[in-house]
Amino acid sequence: MCRPTTFLAVATLLTLSVGCGRSPPKPAEVYRSFHEGLASMARGGETGGARAAYALLTKESQEHLVKLADALNDRLPASVPRLEPADLLRVRRLLVGAPLDDVVETSVSEEVALLEVRSGETVQKVTLKREGTAWRVAYFETPETAGASKQGEP
């Protein structure tokens, strides 16, 4: 019979080895997680959803929000609480709160994925970029400029 600590160590190693073989989420799955974070924020204002969505943004999109928050905070009176970059996700127009009817990967390359997101009659084009091994939402870029930045197109 195995000792409990030996059994626990073996079980942990097996769990890690199975988890390591798992492929990273596809672009559509990443967007669904991003949308759920925004929807959670829109439903009740808890900051966890905003932070989760913010973590799924590209570095460029995060840097854009940091600069915007800094500029806004510089203009606010000292008595007003400071804005966090993730708080600014509330003001960007998206399909927030609306159920996603469909998320279709229309084009996926090594570096850029283009999605069409549908909610009712509204269709939105969304770009994701690969950063390392993970897909991230390019929130402040159009599909054309996201692909162009990597491919050298105008």
Side-chain angles (χ1 to χ4, degrees):
M1 211 174 219
C2 293
R3 288 190 206 165
T5 55
T6 305
F7 177 76
L8 184 60
V10 170
T12 301
L13 286 174
L14 285 173
T15 302
L16 289 174
S17 66
V18 169
C20 291
R22 210 174 107 198
S23 61
K26 293 182 179 192
E29 294 166 341
V30 171
Y31 181 78
R32 282 188 179 95
S33 295
F34 174 77
H35 180 84
E36 181 52 40
L38 292 178
S40 169
M41 174 185 65
R43 282 191 301 266
E46 72 176 62
T47 59
R51 288 188 184 127
Y54 181 81
L56 293 173
L57 292 173
T58 61
K59 285 184 180 35
E60 292 91 0
S61 294
Q62 289 179 353
E63 289 169 2
H64 179 81
L65 286 173
V66 167
K67 288 177 187 174
L68 191 55
D70 288 346
L72 290 170
N73 285 329
D74 288 345
R75 295 183 189 147
L76 292 174
S79 60
V80 175
R82 305 289 95 184
L83 292 169
E84 294 294 323
D87 295 335
L88 299 179
L89 289 172
R90 294 175 186 271
V91 298
R92 178 86 168 147
R93 211 171 121 233
L94 260 194
L95 300 172
V96 176
L100 292 179
D101 293 327
D102 203 10
V103 178
V104 177
E105 295 175 1
T106 58
S107 172
V108 179
S109 71
E110 288 294 315
E111 299 294 323
V112 178
L114 303 177
L115 309 180
E116 283 191 358
V117 178
R118 188 173 60 80
S119 179
E121 297 297 316
T122 305
V123 177
Q124 178 178 333
K125 294 184 185 298
V126 177
T127 302
L128 283 84
K129 288 179 157 181
R130 189 181 300 275
E131 290 185 350
T133 59
W135 289 103
R136 297 289 180 244
V137 179
Y139 200 49
F140 293 97
E141 301 176 53
T142 64
E144 295 79 23
T145 61
S149 66
K150 287 287 185 188
Q151 299 167 2
E153 297 173 6

